[in-house]
Amino acid sequence: MSNQYGKLYVVATPIGNLADISFRAIEILKHVDLIAAEDTRHVKLLMNHYGISNKVESFHQHNEEKAAEKLLEKLRNGLSIALVSDAGTPLISDPGMPLICKAKDEGLTVVPLPGPCALITALSAAGLPVTKFSFEGFLPRTSSARKAFFTEKLNETTTWVFYESSHRILATLQDMAAILPRDRQIVIARELTKLYETIVKTSLINALQLVEHDANMQKGEFVVIIEGAEEQKQSDDLSEEQRRILMVLMRSCSTKTAVELAAEITGARKKLLYQTALKIDSGH
Ligand code: SAM
């Protein structure tokens, strides 16, 4: 790529505490030709705090495609640009995807400046397994769609994380308690890095009661983390109950059908059911 093109810096900014920003990020915000911000007023608070006076242009979700084209033109003309969102890492539940995709497609240089991100901040202090996890962004807004989502996640064995707003935190926990086991461990991370930071790790039912009974727990910004379901043990033996169901079915069906039905009813593996059926047939 030719050096005549400008670089696009993707700059993470604080999620609450203004001190949570890297020296490098401040230098970049001072020295780029232009800051592209989700909300110009918001970034100005940060700029004032650090004595940064630079040109700022609005870049928000409603004009994203058009704004991306304008910024790409500036990059082609050699200007350097810093992309910031209102808080945390751009693109993480925030605008910026079309701009970065197009910049990459054109071979422009995209430079990430790492820093705060609410989900990573919450995971780092949650005390739940993080070797593997999935991030679900914001959940659907209607109760029925949320319940369908929780049903899908019911047997997910790794930790999962989502963002939630103060308007929906209670309804979301109520829907979750209708679908997931009530003793499932969850972490509610609220107002991270801010004055009223609260990180609670408890059972789903306790978390629901806490949020129901404490109005303060319904205020602010939230990351919710859910423990994965226990892995189903791949046992080499059928349980008493599974064996009994198989035997009852074998009285009135062929072995093949009995095995298929028993697998469907009990969740046991077909291979194991079949081996047991053969033993039962041969009188063992
Ligand atoms: N780009 C941001 C990031 O890197 O985390 C996320 C932006 S998203 C529009 C805003 C959501 O992130 C909030 O509704 C909340 O769920 C979560 N969030 C942001 N700041 C937070 C904080 N200080 N404490 C808890 N959650 C926060």
Side-chain angles (χ1 to χ4, degrees):
M1 222 222 44
S2 159
N3 284 335
Q4 75 205 17
Y5 295 126
K7 288 184 180 169
L8 173 58
Y9 297 91
V10 185
V11 182
T13 57
I15 55 170
N17 189 324
L18 287 182
D20 292 332
I21 187 162
S22 72
F23 292 122
R24 184 172 167 228
I26 291 168
E27 284 307 303
I28 291 290
L29 293 178
K30 277 184 182 160
H31 295 117
V32 284
D33 295 302
L34 172 71
I35 299 172
E38 189 184 359
D39 180 335
T40 55
R41 285 162 306 176
H42 207 98
V43 74
K44 280 187 180 150
L45 296 175
L46 181 72
M47 291 169 70
N48 290 341
H49 188 80
Y50 286 102
I52 301 168
S53 50
N54 205 342
K55 211 174 151 209
V56 184
E57 253 184 38
S58 154
F59 181 82
H60 52 73
Q61 244 140 6
H62 311 295
N63 67 0
E64 214 176 334
E65 294 284 338
K66 226 164 122 190
E69 266 320 313
K70 275 165 70 183
L71 293 176
L72 288 167
E73 191 54 34
K74 290 188 165 121
L75 289 165
R76 288 180 210 119
N77 289 333
L79 298 185
S80 56
I81 298 174
L83 173 71
V84 298
S85 63
D86 282 355
T89 303
L91 277 80
I92 305 298
S93 295
D94 265 341
M97 185 61 86
L99 174 64
I100 305 299
C101 287
K102 285 178 183 157
K104 298 295 286 181
D105 288 349
E106 288 193 25
L108 295 164
T109 305
V110 179
V111 184
L113 270 79
C117 176
L119 80 111
I120 300 297
T121 307
L123 281 170
S124 72
L128 285 174
V130 290
T131 321
K132 266 173 127 186
F133 65 87
S134 65
F135 173 54
E136 309 296 337
F138 284 100
L139 299 194
R141 285 166 179 241
T142 64
S143 174
S144 57
R146 273 197 302 267
K147 283 182 178 159
F149 170 81
F150 292 136
T151 306
E152 255 176 48
K153 298 298 278 180
L154 185 60
N155 296 319
E156 167 78 60
T157 52
T158 52
T159 300
W160 43 286
V161 189
F162 61 89
Y163 283 164
E164 195 48 280
S165 77
S166 53
H167 315 295
R168 280 186 291 274
I169 186 71
L170 180 57
T172 293
L173 291 174
Q174 285 165 339
D175 290 341
M176 206 191 302
I179 308 289
L180 297 190
R182 294 177 155 217
D183 61 350
R184 185 73 72 83
Q185 289 289 292
I186 84 164
V187 173
I188 299 184
R190 169 181 165 262
E191 294 289 90
L192 291 165
T193 78
K194 303 186 204 174
L195 185 60
Y196 296 109
E197 177 178 270
T198 317
I199 304 172
V200 187
K201 180 185 180 191
T202 184
S203 64
L204 171 54
I205 190 66
N206 281 346
L208 173 59
Q209 282 165 0
L210 185 70
V211 174
E212 257 169 359
H213 297 126
D214 181 352
N216 286 326
M217 282 299 289
Q218 297 173 30
K219 292 182 187 153
E221 297 188 285
F222 296 85
V223 180
V224 183
I225 308 176
I226 318 294
E227 173 191 42
E230 260 186 54
E231 296 223 23
Q232 298 276 339
K233 284 205 195 85
Q234 294 276 307
S235 166
D236 279 342
D237 283 321
L238 293 182
S239 68
E240 278 299 306
E241 183 64 2
Q242 287 167 334
R243 195 181 155 87
R244 194 185 65 77
I245 290 171
L246 178 63
M247 284 174 78
V248 170
L249 290 167
M250 284 173 71
R251 275 189 224 135
S252 45
C253 315
S254 69
T255 304
K256 186 169 174 279
T257 309
V259 164
E260 271 165 13
L261 289 174
E264 206 173 314
I265 296 165
T266 67
R269 281 179 297 148
K270 272 191 194 161
K271 192 175 166 198
L272 196 53
L273 287 161
Y274 194 68
Q275 284 165 349
T276 311
L278 292 182
K279 282 185 198 162
I280 294 168
D281 264 344
S282 62
H284 286 96

